[in-house]
Amino acid sequence: LAEKVSACFSMALYNKNHLNNTLLTATTDALTGALNRVAYKNDLRDFEGGNFTDFSCIYIDVNELHICNNKYGHTAGDQMLIYIANTLKEVFLGHKIYRMGGDEFLVFTKGISQENVKQNINTFIEQLKGYNVAIGMSYRKQNTNCDKMVREAEIRMYEAKAQYYQNKEQ
């Protein structure tokens, strides 16, 4: 009986570890190690139901990834994305960081004042070592509608991106 219980326990442990690894693979971007869109959609439910204070959404788009890929190759573009993701992870340690696809990232923070989020964004930009990003942010004293916050941050990011390319042309 002890042998059978031990075998069942061993199989259950193996299955639990396998399930955890599968879940991690399903919710993590393979290139950058950031969370992916699957995790984002799962987390939205938690954010909508939570009662967080000082809640922010930061939308980041990498400028000139296409140019980097064309000029230096896709390996260089991948290195750019990995560097940006790792920098986000350092600056926004403990917060949710997603690669939304291509060259777009999204960060949700909670429990950090708007001023501190802005300081973190500035720290992030300072650490980019020549890479350029467009950033938009939305902030609420308490989280309300996450979809609306994401849209606001995305619109602000597109405005920043347009300004970047306008300045570059001049």
Side-chain angles (χ1 to χ4, degrees):
L1 179 65
E3 232 176 76
K4 289 182 181 185
V5 168
S6 176
C8 286
F9 183 72
S10 180
M11 285 175 31
L13 257 169
Y14 171 81
N15 288 339
K16 183 179 184 319
N17 287 338
H18 184 69
L19 179 63
N20 287 342
N21 287 339
T22 302
L23 181 61
L24 183 64
T25 301
T27 58
T28 304
D29 177 63
L31 177 66
T32 64
L35 296 169
N36 64 17
R37 289 183 73 84
V38 172
Y40 165 77
K41 290 182 183 205
N42 290 339
D43 289 346
L44 274 183
R45 289 185 293 250
D46 294 335
F47 291 139
E48 293 290 346
N51 188 18
F52 312 117
T53 58
D54 293 313
F55 192 71
S56 65
C57 173
I58 306 157
Y59 212 110
I60 300 109
D61 185 280
V62 179
N63 291 328
E64 301 185 2
L65 176 63
H66 182 72
I67 293 168
C68 179
N69 283 336
N70 289 343
K71 190 172 185 179
Y72 303 110
H74 288 277
T75 300
D78 287 351
Q79 290 172 344
M80 174 192 280
L81 293 171
I82 292 166
Y83 182 83
I84 288 170
N86 287 340
T87 305
L88 282 170
K89 289 179 213 173
E90 288 174 19
V91 173
F92 292 98
L93 183 66
H95 298 281
K96 299 286 188 161
I97 301 163
Y98 308 89
R99 181 175 178 206
M100 299 301 284
D103 60 354
E104 295 181 348
F105 293 89
L106 185 79
V107 179
F108 281 121
T109 68
K110 49 187 175 175
I112 298 181
S113 72
Q114 185 175 16
E115 187 58 38
N116 285 342
V117 171
K118 288 178 180 178
Q119 288 173 356
N120 284 356
I121 289 171
N122 288 334
T123 299
F124 167 68
I125 291 169
E126 289 169 4
Q127 293 181 7
L128 288 184
K129 295 186 180 181
Y131 296 136
N132 292 294
V133 295
I135 298 177
M137 182 183 88
S138 61
Y139 170 85
R140 301 285 189 281
K141 204 63 175 137
Q142 293 190 348
N143 70 315
T144 53
N145 183 323
C146 289
D147 286 328
K148 186 175 181 180
M149 289 182 72
V150 170
R151 280 192 302 277
E152 287 174 11
E154 186 176 22
I155 288 167
R156 291 178 181 138
M157 178 275 297
Y158 281 122
E159 291 168 352
K161 191 167 196 73
Q163 185 66 49
Y164 170 81
Y165 284 106
Q166 184 179 8
N167 290 346
K168 189 171 179 173
E169 284 179 16
Q170 296 173 355

